[in-house]
Structure formats: C-alpha cells, structure tokens
Amino acid sequence: MTDKKVVTLQDISCMGQCSLTVALPIISACGVETIILPSAVLSTHTGGFTGYTFRDLTEDIPGIMNHWKSENIRFDCLYTGYLGSITQIEYVGELKKNVVKEGGLLIVDPAMADNGSLYYGFDQAFVERMAQLCGTADIILPNLTEAAFMTGSELKLEDHSEEYVTGLLEKLAGLGAKKVILKGISYEPGKIGVAVYDSASKNLQYYFTEKVNASSHGTGDCYAAAFTGALMQGKDEITAAAIAADFVVESIKQTIGDEHHKYGVKFERALPMLVKELNH
Ligand code: PXL
C-alpha cells in the first residue's frame, strides 16, 4: 500500500461511466487516495446521448486551488482528463505549480477525440492548446486520433506500419512530453496494443492484447485511471501500461452481449482482476 495522493481534473458525467465516475473508483481500488476537481457537471457524457445538461465549473477552479494552497495541501500527481474549455487547460499549469509536490507528476490524457473525430464541442484551437499542455507533461496518454490531430499528422487507424507509429511517437515527444503512452496500435489482425516511449532515451516498448470487437465508450478514461493508479502504486510505466490494458480488455469483455449497455463498459466487474494484477 502507498500513501500517494492523486488529484484528478476532469468532468463528472453523472451517468455514462466515464471521466470522474470511473477515475475515482479505479484509482481508489488501486489503493491510492484520489482527490477530485470537477471541471464540469453533465447529466451524461456527450457521446451518443442528446439533450444533456452541461454546467461549466471553470470559475470554481481557482477558488478550490487557492483554498488547498492556503491549507498547504499538496499532491503527488495531477492527472487531467476531459477538460471543458481552453481556460481550464490554462489552469493546469497553475495547479501543477500550486498544489503538486516538488517532483510530483503531471499526467495528461488529452481526452478530446477518438476514431478519427473530435468529441462534440472541440475545435482546432482546443487541439492546439491541448498539444501545448501535453508538451509540459511528464506522461501523456493519447490514442492514435489525438496523436495525429495534435501533431498535424495523417491518421491511419488501421494497417499502420511500425514507421508510422515511431514517427508519431517522435512527433509527440517533440511537443515536449517526457514519456508517451500511445494507445490503439495494431500491427496484426486480432491484436491491439500500446507503445511506451521515453523521449530522452528513445527507448520504445510495446504491450499487446487481444482485440475485442465491441464499441467501447469510456475505455480511454478507464485506461488512464488504471495506469495512473498502478504507477502511483509503484509499478514502472510498461507494467502500469500492461495492467491497464488487461483491465480494459476485461471490462470490454464483461460488457459484451448487453444490448442496453452501449454507453460505457462494466469496469466494476474487472476491478477484482485489476487489484489482483496489482498485487502480483
Ligand atoms: O470519455 C471521454 C469523455 C469524458 N467526458 C465527457 C465526454 C467524453 C467523451 O465523449 O463526452 C463529457
């Protein structure tokens, strides 16, 4: 067990199994204290629902931060997910400075796009600002779509070559991030994986799992949360990346066959496996 504390900035989508409603239980299950900073409150997430409510909490962020600062509260890691506005991206640097311990980590999941499209409400200006934020991070967790958008690269979701992936990794490292965890890589049918790249040493490692064919909203958030929890529990990047990948595959498998459950994955059923792998 660790006494590490992670603060995570992302929205509360009340219903929909994404962002804070998955980050809090998953990181907590990893045995890591999880402090939440909600960026917005939505009735549901924006992928596949219509007519959802959206309360922007941008204005609340400085007050929360300043209160923590005045109480001398500091965290080991700031992990950001879905952010609702460019102003929120700008607050991340302030948060890092004011409420993260010296030597603490900034983990950025640029949760803004998937499968070749930006999520509803985001535009090129947001992508460019997110790329700058990624440049200041210790670890970034883009999927292929986010990686291509942030580096102005061609997007090849399938049939990509190793050269394509290493090219993307170098461009992502060129933004300034120290380590890149690139998700959604596939070099052979039926297998999908992540690349773990160290910008300074250019060391590249992969972890592949079976590719489960199922629509899977919120899996990026589950992945980033499990990765962060495992890392804070003392695992190295490639081990944390592998544990998170196995967890997401199991969550997707647990959801298959339920026609009424398309909005997210049943990650709750995979939590025992996550805890077991962590203690292995
Ligand atoms: O899963 C990423 C995510 C998080 N939060 C909100 C979203 C999405 C993806 O669509 O809409 C509000």
Side-chain angles (χ1 to χ4, degrees):
M1 276 293 144
T2 175
D3 287 325
K4 293 266 167 74
K5 292 181 174 65
V6 173
V7 60
T8 180
L9 171 65
Q10 44 189 321
D11 69 282
I12 296 176
S13 288
C14 300
M15 160 72 190
Q17 286 176 312
C18 69
S19 35
L20 282 183
T21 68
V22 306
L24 179 56
I26 292 170
I27 303 173
S28 298
C30 292
V32 176
E33 184 175 337
T34 312
I35 293 87
I36 61 162
L37 185 40
S39 58
V41 179
L42 295 82
S43 49
T44 65
H45 60 62
T46 66
F49 293 100
T50 50
Y52 47 81
T53 66
F54 186 109
R55 181 169 301 275
D56 184 354
L57 296 179
T58 304
E59 279 179 21
D60 293 58
I61 295 173
I64 294 171
M65 178 182 74
N66 289 330
H67 178 225
W68 288 342
K69 195 179 167 194
S70 72
E71 294 282 327
N72 229 347
I73 296 170
R74 285 190 172 252
F75 310 108
D76 300 282
C77 172
L78 166 59
Y79 147 47
T80 68
Y82 181 101
L83 300 177
S85 65
I86 286 186
T87 310
Q88 288 184 359
I89 300 181
E90 271 146 21
Y91 284 146
V92 175
E94 294 285 296
L95 283 163
K96 174 86 195 321
K97 193 169 72 196
N98 291 309
V99 300
V100 178
K101 287 179 190 165
E102 195 87 5
L105 288 183
L106 173 60
I107 300 179
V108 174
D109 177 3
M112 61 183 172
D114 205 1
N115 295 316
S117 315
L118 284 173
Y119 296 148
Y120 183 81
F122 293 128
D123 58 15
Q124 186 55 26
F126 188 90
V127 172
E128 283 164 21
R129 193 61 190 83
M130 182 58 85
Q132 284 173 10
L133 175 64
C134 283
T136 68
D138 295 287
I139 303 177
I140 57 173
L141 295 134
N143 58 37
L144 278 179
T145 303
E146 290 153 350
F149 288 1
M150 287 196 294
T151 58
S153 310
E154 186 191 350
L155 175 60
K156 290 187 194 164
L157 284 173
E158 275 157 32
D159 293 329
H160 40 249
S161 63
E162 212 159 341
E163 292 71 47
Y164 174 71
V165 170
T166 50
L168 269 185
L169 288 167
E170 275 164 25
K171 285 191 211 160
L172 289 163
L175 296 176
K178 294 195 185 85
K179 288 183 177 152
V180 180
I181 316 291
L182 180 60
K183 303 170 295 178
I185 295 162
S186 185
Y187 294 140
E188 51 176 313
K191 295 246 184 245
I192 189 154
V194 287
V196 178
Y197 185 70
D198 185 295
S199 306
S201 69
K202 296 186 185 284
N203 182 47
L204 170 59
Q205 292 165 291
Y206 289 106
Y207 183 76
F208 290 96
T209 62
E210 64 179 295
K211 184 172 183 173
V212 192
N213 279 326
S215 74
S216 38
H217 198 280
T219 49
D221 299 354
C222 291
Y223 186 91
F227 173 85
T228 301
L231 194 78
M232 286 296 112
Q233 198 53 263
K235 305 292 182 195
D236 60 19
E237 283 83 9
I238 185 68
T239 309
I243 288 173
D246 290 344
F247 170 64
V248 168
V249 170
E250 183 59 22
S251 302
I252 297 171
K253 282 186 179 168
Q254 290 291 341
T255 317
I256 289 173
D258 186 343
E259 283 308 304
H260 302 291
H261 205 111
K262 296 285 182 205
Y263 53 82
V265 289
K266 299 184 183 181
F267 73 92
E268 300 87 351
R269 294 182 181 209
L271 285 175
M273 190 201 100
L274 172 65
V275 173
K276 208 165 133 208
E277 272 208 29
L278 265 178
N279 293 321
H280 193 63

mmCIF file of all heavy atoms in Angstrom, residues 10-13 17-19 42 44-47 54 81-82 111-112 119-120 122 217-221, ligand 1:
data_model
loop_
_atom_site.group_PDB
_atom_site.id
_atom_site.type_symbol
_atom_site.label_atom_id
_atom_site.label_comp_id
_atom_site.label_asym_id
_atom_site.label_seq_id
_atom_site.Cartn_x
_atom_site.Cartn_y
_atom_site.Cartn_z
ATOM 1 N N GLN A 10 -11.185 16.497 -14.198
ATOM 2 C CA GLN A 10 -11.996 16.126 -15.360
ATOM 3 C C GLN A 10 -13.465 16.287 -14.967
ATOM 4 O O GLN A 10 -13.769 16.647 -13.834
ATOM 5 C CB GLN A 10 -11.682 14.719 -15.860
ATOM 6 C CG GLN A 10 -11.531 13.632 -14.813
ATOM 7 C CD GLN A 10 -11.000 12.323 -15.401
ATOM 8 O OE1 GLN A 10 -11.367 11.922 -16.493
ATOM 9 N NE2 GLN A 10 -10.153 11.642 -14.663
ATOM 10 N N ASP A 11 -14.366 16.037 -15.895
ATOM 11 C CA ASP A 11 -15.784 16.303 -15.613
ATOM 12 C C ASP A 11 -16.442 15.182 -14.818
ATOM 13 O O ASP A 11 -15.929 14.064 -14.740
ATOM 14 C CB ASP A 11 -16.552 16.469 -16.930
ATOM 15 C CG ASP A 11 -16.639 15.155 -17.679
ATOM 16 O OD1 ASP A 11 -15.641 14.768 -18.310
ATOM 17 O OD2 ASP A 11 -17.687 14.474 -17.571
ATOM 18 N N ILE A 12 -17.578 15.519 -14.260
ATOM 19 C CA ILE A 12 -18.496 14.496 -13.749
ATOM 20 C C ILE A 12 -19.592 14.348 -14.803
ATOM 21 O O ILE A 12 -20.385 15.279 -14.992
ATOM 22 C CB ILE A 12 -19.155 14.928 -12.415
ATOM 23 C CG1 ILE A 12 -18.102 15.086 -11.318
ATOM 24 C CG2 ILE A 12 -20.223 13.903 -12.008
ATOM 25 C CD1 ILE A 12 -18.664 15.595 -9.995
ATOM 26 N N SER A 13 -19.574 13.249 -15.521
ATOM 27 C CA SER A 13 -20.737 12.894 -16.339
ATOM 28 C C SER A 13 -21.537 11.970 -15.438
ATOM 29 O O SER A 13 -21.149 10.826 -15.200
ATOM 30 C CB SER A 13 -20.310 12.170 -17.620
ATOM 31 O OG SER A 13 -19.708 13.077 -18.512
ATOM 32 N N GLN A 17 -20.491 6.256 -17.195
ATOM 33 C CA GLN A 17 -19.231 5.523 -16.956
ATOM 34 C C GLN A 17 -18.040 6.111 -17.695
ATOM 35 O O GLN A 17 -17.419 5.455 -18.543
ATOM 36 C CB GLN A 17 -19.400 4.049 -17.318
ATOM 37 C CG GLN A 17 -20.228 3.301 -16.294
ATOM 38 C CD GLN A 17 -20.468 1.879 -16.703
ATOM 39 O OE1 GLN A 17 -20.861 1.639 -17.839
ATOM 40 N NE2 GLN A 17 -20.264 0.944 -15.807
ATOM 41 N N CYS A 18 -17.723 7.347 -17.389
ATOM 42 C CA CYS A 18 -16.501 7.940 -17.939
ATOM 43 C C CYS A 18 -15.981 8.979 -16.943
ATOM 44 O O CYS A 18 -16.587 9.217 -15.900
ATOM 45 C CB CYS A 18 -16.768 8.581 -19.308
ATOM 46 S SG CYS A 18 -17.780 10.053 -19.250
ATOM 47 N N SER A 19 -14.869 9.575 -17.284
ATOM 48 C CA SER A 19 -14.237 10.645 -16.502
ATOM 49 C C SER A 19 -14.258 10.366 -14.985
ATOM 50 O O SER A 19 -13.847 9.300 -14.566
ATOM 51 C CB SER A 19 -14.821 12.014 -16.873
ATOM 52 O OG SER A 19 -16.185 11.947 -17.181
ATOM 53 N N LEU A 42 -22.151 17.180 -16.139
ATOM 54 C CA LEU A 42 -23.065 16.882 -17.242
ATOM 55 C C LEU A 42 -24.023 15.779 -16.781
ATOM 56 O O LEU A 42 -23.650 14.932 -15.968
ATOM 57 C CB LEU A 42 -22.315 16.351 -18.463
ATOM 58 C CG LEU A 42 -21.325 17.249 -19.194
ATOM 59 C CD1 LEU A 42 -19.963 17.273 -18.510
ATOM 60 C CD2 LEU A 42 -21.151 16.764 -20.638
ATOM 61 N N THR A 44 -25.079 13.443 -18.701
ATOM 62 C CA THR A 44 -24.474 12.248 -19.317
ATOM 63 C C THR A 44 -23.231 12.732 -20.058
ATOM 64 O O THR A 44 -23.043 13.940 -20.215
ATOM 65 C CB THR A 44 -25.388 11.611 -20.387
ATOM 66 O OG1 THR A 44 -25.534 12.559 -21.466
ATOM 67 C CG2 THR A 44 -26.745 11.226 -19.837
ATOM 68 N N HIS A 45 -22.421 11.822 -20.589
ATOM 69 C CA HIS A 45 -21.352 12.266 -21.476
ATOM 70 C C HIS A 45 -21.941 12.664 -22.825
ATOM 71 O O HIS A 45 -23.157 12.526 -23.056
ATOM 72 C CB HIS A 45 -20.240 11.214 -21.582
ATOM 73 C CG HIS A 45 -20.653 9.875 -22.119
ATOM 74 N ND1 HIS A 45 -21.154 9.693 -23.386
ATOM 75 C CD2 HIS A 45 -20.627 8.643 -21.554
ATOM 76 C CE1 HIS A 45 -21.399 8.423 -23.581
ATOM 77 N NE2 HIS A 45 -21.105 7.761 -22.484
ATOM 78 N N THR A 46 -21.075 13.166 -23.712
ATOM 79 C CA THR A 46 -21.578 13.761 -24.959
ATOM 80 C C THR A 46 -21.584 12.763 -26.127
ATOM 81 O O THR A 46 -21.932 13.129 -27.245
ATOM 82 C CB THR A 46 -20.721 14.976 -25.357
ATOM 83 O OG1 THR A 46 -19.389 14.519 -25.686
ATOM 84 C CG2 THR A 46 -20.627 15.992 -24.237
ATOM 85 N N GLY A 47 -21.164 11.544 -25.877
ATOM 86 C CA GLY A 47 -21.050 10.579 -26.972
ATOM 87 C C GLY A 47 -22.250 9.661 -27.062
ATOM 88 O O GLY A 47 -22.318 8.652 -26.356
ATOM 89 N N PHE A 54 -25.069 20.658 -19.183
ATOM 90 C CA PHE A 54 -23.624 20.899 -19.079
ATOM 91 C C PHE A 54 -23.414 22.137 -18.210
ATOM 92 O O PHE A 54 -23.759 23.243 -18.602
ATOM 93 C CB PHE A 54 -23.025 21.132 -20.481
ATOM 94 C CG PHE A 54 -21.508 21.243 -20.504
ATOM 95 C CD1 PHE A 54 -20.736 20.226 -21.059
ATOM 96 C CD2 PHE A 54 -20.856 22.360 -19.985
ATOM 97 C CE1 PHE A 54 -19.343 20.312 -21.086
ATOM 98 C CE2 PHE A 54 -19.467 22.450 -19.993
ATOM 99 C CZ PHE A 54 -18.702 21.424 -20.553
ATOM 100 N N GLY A 81 -7.993 14.753 -17.361
ATOM 101 C CA GLY A 81 -8.731 14.055 -18.418
ATOM 102 C C GLY A 81 -9.507 15.074 -19.236
ATOM 103 O O GLY A 81 -8.970 16.147 -19.555
ATOM 104 N N TYR A 82 -10.760 14.757 -19.533
ATOM 105 C CA TYR A 82 -11.625 15.635 -20.341
ATOM 106 C C TYR A 82 -11.707 17.031 -19.699
ATOM 107 O O TYR A 82 -12.106 17.173 -18.549
ATOM 108 C CB TYR A 82 -13.018 15.009 -20.400
ATOM 109 C CG TYR A 82 -14.056 15.738 -21.200
ATOM 110 C CD1 TYR A 82 -14.394 15.318 -22.483
ATOM 111 C CD2 TYR A 82 -14.742 16.825 -20.664
ATOM 112 C CE1 TYR A 82 -15.377 15.963 -23.214
ATOM 113 C CE2 TYR A 82 -15.731 17.485 -21.386
ATOM 114 C CZ TYR A 82 -16.045 17.048 -22.666
ATOM 115 O OH TYR A 82 -17.017 17.692 -23.371
ATOM 116 N N ALA A 111 -8.050 13.762 -23.560
ATOM 117 C CA ALA A 111 -9.336 13.159 -23.921
ATOM 118 C C ALA A 111 -10.202 14.135 -24.727
ATOM 119 O O ALA A 111 -10.946 14.930 -24.153
ATOM 120 C CB ALA A 111 -10.052 12.759 -22.624
ATOM 121 N N MET A 112 -10.092 14.074 -26.039
ATOM 122 C CA MET A 112 -10.853 15.024 -26.873
ATOM 123 C C MET A 112 -11.270 14.430 -28.215
ATOM 124 O O MET A 112 -12.007 15.096 -28.969
ATOM 125 C CB MET A 112 -10.033 16.303 -27.109
ATOM 126 C CG MET A 112 -8.726 16.057 -27.826
ATOM 127 S SD MET A 112 -7.757 17.556 -27.996
ATOM 128 C CE MET A 112 -6.232 16.849 -28.629
ATOM 129 N N TYR A 119 -14.456 14.923 -30.166
ATOM 130 C CA TYR A 119 -15.710 14.851 -29.417
ATOM 131 C C TYR A 119 -16.477 16.152 -29.655
ATOM 132 O O TYR A 119 -15.895 17.202 -29.959
ATOM 133 C CB TYR A 119 -15.458 14.698 -27.909
ATOM 134 C CG TYR A 119 -14.763 13.414 -27.516
ATOM 135 C CD1 TYR A 119 -13.899 13.393 -26.423
ATOM 136 C CD2 TYR A 119 -14.969 12.220 -28.207
ATOM 137 C CE1 TYR A 119 -13.258 12.228 -26.029
ATOM 138 C CE2 TYR A 119 -14.332 11.047 -27.816
ATOM 139 C CZ TYR A 119 -13.481 11.059 -26.739
ATOM 140 O OH TYR A 119 -12.849 9.921 -26.352
ATOM 141 N N TYR A 120 -17.788 16.089 -29.447
ATOM 142 C CA TYR A 120 -18.652 17.241 -29.671
ATOM 143 C C TYR A 120 -18.149 18.465 -28.886
ATOM 144 O O TYR A 120 -17.806 18.359 -27.719
ATOM 145 C CB TYR A 120 -20.090 16.897 -29.234
ATOM 146 C CG TYR A 120 -21.042 18.022 -29.497
ATOM 147 C CD1 TYR A 120 -21.573 18.211 -30.767
ATOM 148 C CD2 TYR A 120 -21.369 18.926 -28.485
ATOM 149 C CE1 TYR A 120 -22.420 19.273 -31.023
ATOM 150 C CE2 TYR A 120 -22.222 19.987 -28.730
ATOM 151 C CZ TYR A 120 -22.739 20.157 -30.007
ATOM 152 O OH TYR A 120 -23.559 21.219 -30.254
ATOM 153 N N PHE A 122 -15.417 20.381 -29.430
ATOM 154 C CA PHE A 122 -13.994 20.750 -29.519
ATOM 155 C C PHE A 122 -13.639 21.213 -30.931
ATOM 156 O O PHE A 122 -14.277 20.801 -31.895
ATOM 157 C CB PHE A 122 -13.103 19.570 -29.122
ATOM 158 C CG PHE A 122 -13.213 19.201 -27.670
ATOM 159 C CD1 PHE A 122 -13.481 17.899 -27.282
ATOM 160 C CD2 PHE A 122 -13.053 20.159 -26.685
ATOM 161 C CE1 PHE A 122 -13.580 17.555 -25.938
ATOM 162 C CE2 PHE A 122 -13.155 19.830 -25.341
ATOM 163 C CZ PHE A 122 -13.425 18.528 -24.974
ATOM 164 N N HIS A 217 -17.189 2.967 -25.396
ATOM 165 C CA HIS A 217 -17.065 4.340 -24.912
ATOM 166 C C HIS A 217 -16.472 4.335 -23.505
ATOM 167 O O HIS A 217 -16.746 3.442 -22.714
ATOM 168 C CB HIS A 217 -18.439 5.015 -24.898
ATOM 169 C CG HIS A 217 -18.337 6.496 -24.831
ATOM 170 N ND1 HIS A 217 -18.096 7.156 -23.654
ATOM 171 C CD2 HIS A 217 -18.367 7.440 -25.787
ATOM 172 C CE1 HIS A 217 -18.012 8.447 -23.910
ATOM 173 N NE2 HIS A 217 -18.167 8.657 -25.185
ATOM 174 N N GLY A 218 -15.626 5.322 -23.222
ATOM 175 C CA GLY A 218 -15.095 5.473 -21.862
ATOM 176 C C GLY A 218 -13.892 4.599 -21.561
ATOM 177 O O GLY A 218 -13.333 4.658 -20.458
ATOM 178 N N THR A 219 -13.459 3.800 -22.530
ATOM 179 C CA THR A 219 -12.337 2.900 -22.248
ATOM 180 C C THR A 219 -11.028 3.673 -22.062
ATOM 181 O O THR A 219 -10.169 3.249 -21.293
ATOM 182 C CB THR A 219 -12.147 1.850 -23.367
ATOM 183 O OG1 THR A 219 -12.147 2.537 -24.616
ATOM 184 C CG2 THR A 219 -13.247 0.812 -23.342
ATOM 185 N N GLY A 220 -10.897 4.806 -22.768
ATOM 186 C CA GLY A 220 -9.684 5.618 -22.599
ATOM 187 C C GLY A 220 -9.579 6.135 -21.171
ATOM 188 O O GLY A 220 -8.486 6.168 -20.588
ATOM 189 N N ASP A 221 -10.729 6.518 -20.606
ATOM 190 C CA ASP A 221 -10.739 7.021 -19.227
ATOM 191 C C ASP A 221 -10.410 5.903 -18.241
ATOM 192 O O ASP A 221 -9.666 6.107 -17.275
ATOM 193 C CB ASP A 221 -12.114 7.618 -18.880
ATOM 194 C CG ASP A 221 -12.476 8.795 -19.768
ATOM 195 O OD1 ASP A 221 -11.625 9.219 -20.575
ATOM 196 O OD2 ASP A 221 -13.607 9.285 -19.665
HETATM 197 O O1 PXL B 1 -14.688 9.556 -22.261
HETATM 198 C C1 PXL B 1 -14.294 10.822 -22.519
HETATM 199 C C2 PXL B 1 -15.351 11.822 -22.180
HETATM 200 C C3 PXL B 1 -15.351 12.392 -20.933
HETATM 201 N N1 PXL B 1 -16.264 13.305 -20.573
HETATM 202 C C4 PXL B 1 -17.235 13.677 -21.435
HETATM 203 C C5 PXL B 1 -17.304 13.124 -22.702
HETATM 204 C C6 PXL B 1 -16.341 12.175 -23.095
HETATM 205 C C7 PXL B 1 -16.381 11.589 -24.427
HETATM 206 O O2 PXL B 1 -17.236 11.796 -25.213
HETATM 207 O O3 PXL B 1 -18.284 13.489 -23.519
HETATM 208 C C8 PXL B 1 -18.237 14.712 -21.020
#
